[in-house]
Amino acid sequence: MTHAAVGAKTTPVLRFAPSPNGFLHLGHAYSALLNAALARRLGGRLLLRIEDIDPTRCRPEFEQAIYEDLAWLGLAWEEPVRRQSDHMDDYGAALAKLREMGLVYPCFASRQEIRTAIAERERTEGRPWPRDPDGAPLYPGLARRLQAGEVARRLAAGEPHALRLDMAGALGRLAASGRDLTFVAFDPDGGERVVSADPARWGDVVLARKEVPTSYHLSVVVDDALQGVTHVVRGRDLEAATDVHRLLQALLGLPAPRYHHHDLVVDEAGLKLAKSRGSPALRDLRAAGVGADEIRQRLGFPL
Ligand code: GLU
């Protein structure tokens, strides 16, 4: 897999990709403004993508608010905006490709069953169960122990299941092709470095959920490729996810964008902003009389 060449002929393409599951706060504003500033500096295009695959958390009023809040900040983006929920077929096609490679398997376990199995393993093995970079326990491989006949019977019975990536199989395939998994991390002020990706630390990630026929990782990778994104600019909280994204890109034969993972805007306690911690939404600040100019200044993006 070669990294996408950003030569003289390629127009850089950047994207801001919020999920409409709440109102945007200063952290989102920073990410959007940084994307816009870099698109301008690189002479590139700026896309807005609505990552709304989760129907239980995403709401039309949040999507509407994203358009209003970004316009209020003075941002402009290309139309039409890609909404992930309109493109399930694209994610299905990528999933089918991975299935054909034999790298996907069904997992029928409930969250509770997974928790119970992990607790059991911790007890018998006398050590804490390993966790992924987000702090979630790694999947303990329950479905791997199912016999093929049982899998076929449960699938035929229409039992709800997630689809997981066979991480060991995927890495084996990659190793067989002699390719190293890396990505180019770029610095907005110039400079690049090649970073090794270590997707194994995520275990058998979910590619399609029981209720949603795709996942964050799969949709992001498919969309970045379909939209020709050359520079992914997003928060540090997603840096480790890049390892999975690079693996999926390599397996699916998709180009690799360059990546910049920016620092997160934090509150007075030094914590990442979140609605659950009462961080004010941009619209709350606006209602309180704070101007868009003031916000841009505060975040380091004067006009
Ligand atoms: N939709 C993700 C979020 O809101 C961002 C995805 C990305 O930038 O890759 O956190």
Side-chain angles (χ1 to χ4, degrees), residues 47-97:
L47 310 180
L48 171 63
R49 184 165 78 221
I50 300 294
E51 302 214 320
D52 61 347
I53 56 170
D54 185 345
T56 58
R57 299 183 61 214
C58 295
R59 300 222 300 261
E61 56 270 38
F62 292 138
E63 181 180 339
Q64 205 44 50
I66 288 173
Y67 302 133
E68 285 167 19
D69 293 347
L70 294 181
W72 174 70
L73 278 174
L75 292 169
W77 54 89
E78 288 184 15
E79 300 281 354
V81 168
R82 184 172 171 95
R83 299 169 70 247
Q84 290 189 323
S85 59
D86 293 335
H87 298 279
M88 290 297 176
D89 288 355
D90 290 332
Y91 315 131
L95 197 54
K97 228 171 141 175

Side-chain angles (χ1 to χ4, degrees), residues 15-21 28 31 49-51 84 216 220 224 232-235 237-238 245:
R15 90 300 196 274
F16 175 58
S19 297
N21 54 19
H28 298 108
S31 203
R49 184 165 78 221
I50 300 294
E51 302 214 320
Q84 290 189 323
Y216 160 64
V220 163
D224 283 342
V232 170
V233 175
R234 60 186 176 192
D237 50 343
L238 292 172
H245 300 176

Side-chain angles (χ1 to χ4, degrees), residues 202-271:
W202 288 98
D204 288 358
V205 286
V206 170
L207 294 178
R209 307 207 313 237
K210 279 186 184 167
E211 338 69 54
V212 183
T214 185
S215 62
Y216 160 64
H217 297 306
L218 185 66
S219 332
V220 163
V221 160
V222 168
D223 284 352
D224 283 342
L226 281 175
Q227 297 190 285
V229 171
T230 59
H231 292 69
V232 170
V233 175
R234 60 186 176 192
R236 260 201 214 298
D237 50 343
L238 292 172
E239 188 163 18
T242 304
D243 294 4
V244 177
H245 300 176
R246 284 294 300 117
L247 176 61
L248 293 176
Q249 286 156 359
L251 295 170
L252 292 165
L254 304 175
R258 279 159 159 65
Y259 289 87
H260 172 63
H261 297 101
H262 59 73
D263 288 341
L264 300 178
V265 179
V266 292
D267 61 17
E268 298 78 28
L271 294 169

Side-chain angles (χ1 to χ4, degrees), residues 3-295:
H3 293 288
V6 184
K9 282 187 257 97
T10 315
T11 301
V13 180
L14 289 84
R15 90 300 196 274
F16 175 58
S19 297
N21 54 19
F23 292 119
L24 301 186
H25 51 58
L26 286 173
H28 298 108
Y30 178 80
S31 203
L33 288 164
L34 183 60
N35 267 286
L38 289 176
R40 212 174 309 120
R41 195 186 303 170
L42 295 168
R45 299 160 52 203
L46 177 65
L47 310 180
L48 171 63
R49 184 165 78 221
I50 300 294
E51 302 214 320
D52 61 347
I53 56 170
D54 185 345
T56 58
R57 299 183 61 214
C58 295
R59 300 222 300 261
E61 56 270 38
F62 292 138
E63 181 180 339
Q64 205 44 50
I66 288 173
Y67 302 133
E68 285 167 19
D69 293 347
L70 294 181
W72 174 70
L73 278 174
L75 292 169
W77 54 89
E78 288 184 15
E79 300 281 354
V81 168
R82 184 172 171 95
R83 299 169 70 247
Q84 290 189 323
S85 59
D86 293 335
H87 298 279
M88 290 297 176
D89 288 355
D90 290 332
Y91 315 131
L95 197 54
K97 228 171 141 175
L98 295 169
R99 289 178 96 149
E100 277 160 28
M101 295 179 207
L103 298 178
V104 176
Y105 66 90
C107 169
F108 303 94
S110 66
R111 284 206 179 86
Q112 187 51 47
E113 281 168 327
I114 294 176
R115 267 198 297 270
T116 306
I118 289 171
E120 177 64 25
R121 296 276 287 270
E122 286 189 319
R123 214 177 41 245
T124 55
E125 292 174 23
R127 62 179 174 106
W129 190 249
R131 291 177 178 261
D132 73 20
D134 280 349
L138 289 188
Y139 174 66
L142 301 178
R144 291 169 166 285
R145 277 179 250 127
L146 298 180
Q147 300 297 317
E150 182 181 355
V151 172
R153 182 185 55 73
R154 292 172 79 167
L155 287 177
E159 197 175 318
H161 57 276
L163 293 171
R164 289 183 179 269
L165 178 70
D166 171 0
M167 182 59 79
L171 293 173
R173 193 182 171 99
L174 206 70
S177 69
R179 288 177 299 181
D180 278 343
L181 205 60
T182 58
F183 64 91
V184 173
F186 75 97
D187 186 338
D189 299 322
E192 292 186 341
R193 67 199 164 93
V194 176
V195 179
S196 289
D198 175 20
R201 57 189 172 141
W202 288 98
D204 288 358
V205 286
V206 170
L207 294 178
R209 307 207 313 237
K210 279 186 184 167
E211 338 69 54
V212 183
T214 185
S215 62
Y216 160 64
H217 297 306
L218 185 66
S219 332
V220 163
V221 160
V222 168
D223 284 352
D224 283 342
L226 281 175
Q227 297 190 285
V229 171
T230 59
H231 292 69
V232 170
V233 175
R234 60 186 176 192
R236 260 201 214 298
D237 50 343
L238 292 172
E239 188 163 18
T242 304
D243 294 4
V244 177
H245 300 176
R246 284 294 300 117
L247 176 61
L248 293 176
Q249 286 156 359
L251 295 170
L252 292 165
L254 304 175
R258 279 159 159 65
Y259 289 87
H260 172 63
H261 297 101
H262 59 73
D263 288 341
L264 300 178
V265 179
V266 292
D267 61 17
E268 298 78 28
L271 294 169
K272 181 185 156 185
L273 302 184
K275 199 169 64 171
S276 53
R277 260 195 309 279
S279 308
L282 290 178
R283 50 191 44 226
D284 299 334
L285 297 170
R286 180 158 80 235
V290 182
D293 278 347
E294 197 179 328
I295 289 191

